[in-house]
Amino acid sequence: MFELLAVMILLAFLLAWRWRRRESAWMPRELRRAELAYAEKLFKARGPVTLTAKVDRAYRRRDGVIVLVELKTRRGHRHYPSDVIELSAQRGAIMKETGETVALRAYVLVQDLSRRRTVHRVDLLDEGQVDTLIERREAILSGRLQPERANSAKLCQTCVYKDRCL
Amino acid sequence: MKNQPARSRRSVSASELAQMGVCEQRVLCEHLYGKPRTVQQRADAARGDEEHRRFYEARKGRCFIATLVYGESREVMVLRSFRDRVLRASPMGRGLILAYYRIAPGVCKVLAERPRLIRIVRGLLRLLVWGAERMTKDGGARDV
Ligand code: SF4
């Protein structure tokens, strides 16, 4: 009986090891030993403008600092300034709601159509920069400020507002 | 000119704010005219939602093998009792428990997609339950 048990345990280890390897192959070294603190959780930072942020994953490192990971499904393996803004806003919302420290460095996990994943380390904006961006957005929406236009012909070509905007 | 708001301006989500990094004019257009989506954009959004769901599921990690195989049952109680009364009593046993906690979610993930494998594991676990029951009755439990 004990031989059978040993084989079962070995098999279980093997299956689990294969699964873990596949599931966490993308993980940067600093997150391998971190615990998952939040997954798909909504945070709210109240202020003149309430900031809400849904976090894909947030890991708590051994030193207690939270590190954010954002999953993006796209065709090309690259990250954009909008990813940095989104993660920075998430950072601000978590810090304001929980009081926890969130790293100024985060990860964008890009997954393509064939489910291949690459991870991109990004430096985030600080809270002041996020607040400035929120104020700028408010000013644009209220007509106090002229918005800047994208300078990418490719982006404009596929934009649903191109007839109204150009 | 003051723009007419399409909805409340007093809150913003992280993903809405992120659009400021794409095109500020588009942020304004969305605010004024709503968010029409092309067929391609709708398909991309649906795929994104599905991948997020998978990403979330892959990390939940709450499943334990016996519970998955038997549900909340007598067998699970026996195994829990074996864990608490026999395994926890020794450093090696505690190490085994820790190792189990690390691998169990992975095993569950594999099992969850394979009902036939669940039946096989159920059969094999019966032996473990039998052994655990004997040990908790006969020996290991006496001095705990
Ligand atoms: S067409 Fe779209 S992307 Fe281009 S400037 Fe206008 S709103 Fe921005």
Side-chain angles (χ1 to χ4, degrees), chain A residues 4 8 19 23 36 48 50 52 56-57 75 82 111 113 115 136 138 140-141 143 147-148 161 164, chain B residues 3 9-14 18 24-25 30 33-34 40 47 51-52 54-55 58-59 106 109 124 127:
Chain A
L4 192 62
M8 267 175 64
W19 179 81
E23 272 308 310
L36 181 67
T50 300
T52 57
D56 281 352
R57 282 192 195 175
R75 285 164 184 82
S82 56
Q111 180 174 303
L113 289 171
R115 292 239 173 81
R136 182 174 172 81
E138 287 294 297
I140 289 171
L141 298 189
E148 285 189 11
Y161 304 107
R164 301 190 197 224
Chain B
N3 297 313
R9 286 177 206 164
R10 309 314 294 170
S11 83
V12 61
S13 71
E24 291 181 354
Q25 176 67 33
E30 279 188 6
Y33 311 125
Q40 183 63 54
R47 190 171 68 87
E51 291 307 329
H52 272 84
R54 281 171 187 267
F55 191 54
R59 202 52 210 164
K109 173 80 184 167
L124 293 172
L127 280 171

Side-chain angles (χ1 to χ4, degrees), chain A residues 2 31 39 41 83 88 113 117 127 140 144 146 152 160:
Chain A
F2 285 105
L31 299 186
K41 187 166 166 39
D83 300 330
S88 305
L113 289 171
R117 287 172 172 177
E127 287 165 281
I140 289 171
R144 284 180 280 124
Q146 268 307 108
S152 154
V160 286

Side-chain angles (χ1 to χ4, degrees), chain A:
Chain A
M1 186 190 108
F2 285 105
E3 287 86 347
L4 192 62
L5 272 183
V7 170
M8 267 175 64
I9 290 170
L10 202 70
L11 193 72
F13 265 102
L14 202 72
L15 286 171
W17 177 75
R18 273 190 52 188
W19 179 81
R20 278 182 73 88
R21 236 175 70 131
R22 210 183 54 204
E23 272 308 310
S24 58
W26 60 271
M27 253 196 195
R29 184 181 284 266
E30 77 166 319
L31 299 186
R32 295 235 160 127
R33 301 196 137 247
E35 64 160 331
L36 181 67
Y38 307 110
E40 291 286 326
K41 187 166 166 39
L42 188 72
F43 292 89
K44 248 184 203 171
R46 297 195 193 278
V49 177
T50 300
L51 174 63
T52 57
K54 194 162 188 190
V55 171
D56 281 352
R57 282 192 195 175
Y59 290 86
R60 191 176 289 110
R61 287 190 326 220
R62 289 183 160 199
D63 60 3
V65 174
I66 299 277
V67 179
L68 297 171
V69 176
E70 174 73 11
L71 174 72
K72 291 291 173 195
T73 49
R74 46 178 72 129
R75 285 164 184 82
H77 281 272
R78 50 177 304 200
H79 66 276
Y80 297 95
S82 56
D83 300 330
V84 172
I85 296 173
E86 187 167 1
L87 281 159
S88 305
Q90 290 177 7
R91 175 177 180 269
I94 295 180
M95 296 216 311
K96 278 191 188 138
E97 189 180 317
T98 68
E100 289 189 271
T101 307
V102 184
L104 265 170
R105 182 175 64 200
Y107 295 93
V108 180
L109 179 62
V110 180
Q111 180 174 303
D112 65 18
L113 289 171
S114 62
R115 292 239 173 81
R116 194 171 74 83
R117 287 172 172 177
T118 51
V119 70
H120 307 251
R121 204 176 89 171
V122 290
D123 291 320
L124 304 185
L125 310 177
D126 61 30
E127 287 165 281
Q129 289 169 307
V130 172
D131 287 343
T132 304
L133 203 59
I134 293 174
E135 280 162 24
R136 182 174 172 81
R137 182 178 177 274
E138 287 294 297
I140 289 171
L141 298 189
S142 63
R144 284 180 280 124
L145 204 68
Q146 268 307 108
E148 285 189 11
R149 287 162 191 258
N151 58 12
S152 154
K154 204 174 151 207
L155 189 68
C156 294
Q157 258 168 28
T158 56
C159 177
V160 286
Y161 304 107
K162 64 176 180 241
D163 296 333
R164 301 190 197 224
C165 155
L166 296 175

Side-chain angles (χ1 to χ4, degrees), chain B residues 19-36:
Chain B
Q19 291 308 307
M20 291 286 284
V22 180
C23 173
E24 291 181 354
Q25 176 67 33
R26 194 194 278 194
V27 171
L28 180 58
C29 286
E30 279 188 6
H31 179 71
L32 294 175
Y33 311 125
K35 282 189 199 171

